[in-house]
């Protein structure tokens, strides 16, 4: 069910900002859009357009290309670089068959193009479509921000973890780049850093923050956090690549992990990669019950776990190479460690 705020936004008349230094052209666009039921604002220069954006937050900008001083391309670039206005569609107004202007508009981040003189049906169709898409994107952006806020709340429930999630994001990006993963895979790893334990919002504090060992019944409840996390994030299509990380980052190579007891390559690769990063960060971070291990000691522990069958030997070897490449700059690790033991 949409919130009252979202419902209000959808019942407001869409607002369009027309930016053109030519009064006659501006008046034509204003008249056509007003007939279509839009609230129309005007600006006669690039700086005036940027000021109006801050004051009025329009749903779409109809932007002339050629203006004295700051042209339309520069206005668009600034809008697309600003977190507050990046989702606002920009429709460039160009001369007929002005290919050069269209190419520059694409480079600047423009969303669409219209030619003068305006065709009322084309103007109406394109503006309507882009405003609808903009509002859908805002809904999606809002939903994602809510998820990350929940994840930060979960992390703050345990003051002992410090900036664990921030470090996982940084490690995920760096190790993903080292492995040559795609941009989307690296993004999913980074998002996994924030969202992997979001399901702990559904675990009682008495269990989540218990200082001693959990009972079998409590441990069964704790294991549910991965399933709760999947349910929270599943409705968003943009989280599709993060779901395997959330669900499977506690699986083990030999099939003794949870929640599904996946074996070997059945475990999604991103979940395997993330798990190693997560464990390494936990080992090298100080907690009330332990001191921080050095990078070399943490690698030794990871390799010991690999020998028991818990980790992917090939991936652990790659992670060692990654850590060694990072630590070489500070000479914190020797050039080589013992080979990764193969599970019995």
């Amino acid at each position: 069910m949409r919130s009252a705020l979202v419902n209000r936004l959808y019942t407001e008349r869409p607002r369009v900002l027309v930016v053109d230094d030519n009064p006659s052209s501006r008046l034509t666009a204003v008249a056509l859009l007003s007939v279509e039921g839009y609230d129309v604002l005007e600006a006669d220069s690039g700086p005036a357009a940027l000021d109006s954006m801050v004051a009025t937050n329009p749903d779409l900008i109809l932007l002339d290309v050629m203006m004295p001083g700051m042209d339309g391309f520069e206005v668009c670039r600034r809008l697309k670089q600003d977190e507050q206005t990046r989702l606002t569609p920009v429709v460039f107004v160009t001369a007929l068959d002005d290919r050069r202007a269209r190419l520059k508009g694409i480079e600047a981040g423009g969303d669409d193009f219209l030619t003068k003189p305006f065709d009322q049906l084309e103007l109406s169709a394109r503006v309507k479509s882009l405003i609808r898409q903009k509002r859908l994107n805002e809904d999606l952006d809002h939903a994602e921000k809510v998820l990350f806020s929940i994840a930060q709340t979960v992390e703050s429930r345990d003051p002992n973890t410090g900036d664990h999630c921030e470090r996982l994001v940084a490690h995920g990006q760096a190790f993903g780049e080292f492995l040559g993963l795609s941009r989307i895979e690296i993004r999913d790893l980074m998002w996994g850093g924030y969202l992997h334990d979001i399901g702990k919002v559904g675990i009682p504090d008495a269990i989540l923050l218990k200082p001693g060992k959990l009972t079998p019944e409590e441990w069964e409840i704790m294991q549910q956090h991965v399933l709760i996390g999947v349910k929270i994030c599943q409705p968003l299509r943009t989280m599709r690549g993060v779901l395997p990380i959330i669900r499977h980052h506690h699986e083990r190579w030999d099939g003794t992990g949870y929640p599904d007891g996946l074996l070997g390559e059945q475990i999604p690769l991103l979940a395997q990669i993330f798990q190693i990063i997560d464990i390494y960060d936990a080992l090298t971070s100080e907690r009330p019950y332990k001191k921080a291990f050095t990078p070399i000691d943490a690698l030794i522990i990871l390799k010991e776990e690999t020998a028991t069958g818990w980790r992917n030997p090939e991936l652990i070897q790659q992670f060692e190479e990654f850590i060694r490449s990072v630590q070489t700059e500070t000479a914190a690790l020797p050039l080589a460690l013992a080979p990764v033991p193969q599970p019995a």
Side-chain angles (χ1 to χ4, degrees), residues 257-316:
Y258 69 88
D260 300 313
L262 299 184
L263 179 65
E265 297 294 352
Q266 293 177 342
I267 306 171
L269 179 60
L270 288 187
Q272 295 183 47
I273 294 170
F274 178 81
Q275 180 189 81
I276 294 172
I277 296 169
D278 189 21
I279 295 170
Y280 178 82
D281 183 74
L283 290 171
T284 54
S285 301
E286 185 174 354
R287 301 288 169 83
Y289 51 85
K290 75 171 189 66
K291 293 183 178 179
F293 289 100
T294 66
I296 187 170
D297 287 337
L299 285 175
I300 290 172
I301 292 172
L302 280 170
K303 295 170 82 169
E304 289 173 348
E305 292 184 350
T306 302
T308 68
W310 289 3
R311 316 284 171 230
N312 180 340
E314 181 180 352
L315 200 54
I316 289 294

Side-chain angles (χ1 to χ4, degrees), residues 129-320:
S129 174
L130 286 169
I131 288 178
R132 181 171 59 246
Q133 185 61 50
K134 186 242 187 182
R135 289 185 167 182
L136 290 173
N137 288 339
E138 285 179 334
D139 274 358
L140 179 61
D141 191 55
H142 175 70
E144 289 175 352
K145 288 178 179 177
V146 168
L147 287 184
F148 287 117
S149 295
I150 294 173
Q152 289 178 329
T153 300
V154 171
E155 185 180 26
S156 68
R157 291 170 72 191
D158 185 355
N160 298 321
T161 57
D163 296 323
H164 176 61
C165 288
E166 295 290 344
R167 293 192 300 271
L168 291 181
V169 171
H171 292 335
Q173 179 178 9
F175 190 36
E177 291 172 352
F178 178 85
L179 293 173
L181 300 182
S182 69
R183 181 183 64 84
I184 298 299
E185 289 172 322
I186 292 173
R187 183 206 67 180
D188 290 339
L189 267 181
M190 295 171 68
W191 283 7
Y194 288 118
L195 300 171
H196 66 289
D197 278 342
I198 191 172
K200 287 183 177 179
V201 71
I203 304 301
D205 282 352
I207 295 175
L208 184 65
L209 304 179
K210 184 177 179 179
K213 186 177 180 180
L214 298 179
T215 67
E217 293 77 15
E218 291 171 336
W219 179 237
E220 186 175 345
I221 294 173
M222 177 66 84
Q223 290 181 357
Q224 296 301 307
H225 79 273
V226 296
L227 303 180
I228 297 171
V230 168
K231 288 181 180 179
I232 292 173
C233 297
Q234 200 164 31
L236 285 183
R237 293 180 62 186
T238 52
M239 295 295 157
R240 187 174 300 168
V242 186
L243 295 180
I245 295 174
I246 296 173
R247 184 181 183 101
H248 297 300
H249 69 279
H250 287 291
E251 303 283 0
R252 291 176 179 171
W253 190 248
D254 62 1
T256 61
Y258 69 88
D260 300 313
L262 299 184
L263 179 65
E265 297 294 352
Q266 293 177 342
I267 306 171
L269 179 60
L270 288 187
Q272 295 183 47
I273 294 170
F274 178 81
Q275 180 189 81
I276 294 172
I277 296 169
D278 189 21
I279 295 170
Y280 178 82
D281 183 74
L283 290 171
T284 54
S285 301
E286 185 174 354
R287 301 288 169 83
Y289 51 85
K290 75 171 189 66
K291 293 183 178 179
F293 289 100
T294 66
I296 187 170
D297 287 337
L299 285 175
I300 290 172
I301 292 172
L302 280 170
K303 295 170 82 169
E304 289 173 348
E305 292 184 350
T306 302
T308 68
W310 289 3
R311 316 284 171 230
N312 180 340
E314 181 180 352
L315 200 54
I316 289 294
Q317 187 66 50
Q318 291 173 309
F319 187 70
E320 179 194 331

Side-chain angles (χ1 to χ4, degrees), residues 60-80:
L60 180 140
I61 303 172
L62 196 63
L63 181 60
D64 187 39
V65 169
M66 302 307 297
M67 294 185 293
M70 184 186 298
D71 63 19
F73 303 125
E74 179 60 23
V75 173
C76 183
R77 274 192 289 269
R78 294 194 184 191
L79 293 175
K80 295 301 182 180

